[in-house]
Amino acid sequence: YYMKYFLEFSKRIRLLIFINLIVFIPITSFAGNFEDNKSEWGLYFGTKIYEERHPVDNSFFMSQDGYMLGAVTNHESYNDDLYLGFKSRLGAGYVSYTSAGTGTMEDVPDYQFEGTGYVGKSFEGQTFRTTPFGGLGFRYLLNASGQKLSSTGHSGYDRESRYVYMPLGINFETGTKNNTHWEFRGEYLLFLYGEQTSYLSDLGYTDIHNEQEDGSGIKLTAKYYFDKKFGVEGYMDYWDIADSKLDVSGSFMEPRNTTSETGIRIFWRY
């Protein structure tokens, strides 16, 4: 009961911070001095909402909401006009499960890993640098509800998701002034392939494997460097994955699902 209020309150606070990062940009004129090499690590906190819809009438099927804590890394370089980058994150948290027919379940462990490589071409002006880019990414999720019981006595089971995707986006940054600057980034995530594994062997049955072929996502970030060593970033990630293909038995599928995550990252440069 109190956790739901805490998650809702923290989500609104982070949304306000994110809006402030985007809207209230300093109007000071920045000199054309840009950072060409960045190596960063940081910590993040975010709230997560996952929802599945019925494949026939799109009615509510199940949802999970909770929080994630974790670590992030970022490595970027600009050599002349060639941009190369790699970002990763590793997180863990707890979510609450609600379904249309099998009750509720609290404190379900949730884990995620993501790594993405980027390549692009930068265009420098007197006060701004703009970099369109593409890349390749991998996302892994584990929802570990195995060995847990719902409020109606139904047994949970572990679920794994693996996504391969291609980010296409643009990065926009101001020149530095007094070692401070802004950076804004938007990515469209072209879904290439996914695989969902439901470990029904936790319940004494055969595991189910479903292939996913259609979907998309977006990522938005607003980043501010207070100096050469420290900064803060607001982020929003969203995924919309279509119904999967049937498994080999022709009986089971993974329904359409959406995931939204918003949060704050604090990072240090080294």
Side-chain angles (χ1 to χ4, degrees), residues 252-264:
F252 300 98
M253 67 176 294
E254 181 70 15
R256 177 189 174 190
N257 61 83
T258 59
T259 304
S260 60
E261 184 178 341
T262 59
I264 294 292

Side-chain angles (χ1 to χ4, degrees), residues 134-185:
L136 189 65
F138 173 77
R139 184 171 183 249
Y140 171 82
L141 307 170
L142 171 62
N143 183 250
S145 63
Q147 311 302 320
K148 296 180 71 69
L149 293 176
S150 73
S151 60
T152 56
H154 290 82
S155 298
Y157 54 89
D158 293 350
R159 301 168 70 246
E160 278 185 338
S161 300
R162 298 174 178 86
Y163 298 169
V164 178
Y165 63 90
M166 180 183 296
L168 302 170
I170 190 165
N171 195 79
F172 178 81
E173 60 186 303
T174 64
T176 61
K177 182 177 182 181
N178 298 325
N179 295 322
T180 69
H181 71 278
W182 288 85
E183 187 172 319
F184 304 92
R185 191 179 186 96

Side-chain angles (χ1 to χ4, degrees), residues 193-220:
Y193 177 79
E195 184 179 82
Q196 178 80 29
T197 303
S198 300
Y199 288 97
L200 298 186
S201 55
D202 293 345
L203 310 178
Y205 302 102
T206 302
D207 294 338
I208 297 175
H209 303 275
N210 295 106
E211 294 183 352
Q212 298 163 305
E213 296 181 342
D214 297 315
S216 62
I218 59 172
K219 291 186 178 184
L220 299 173

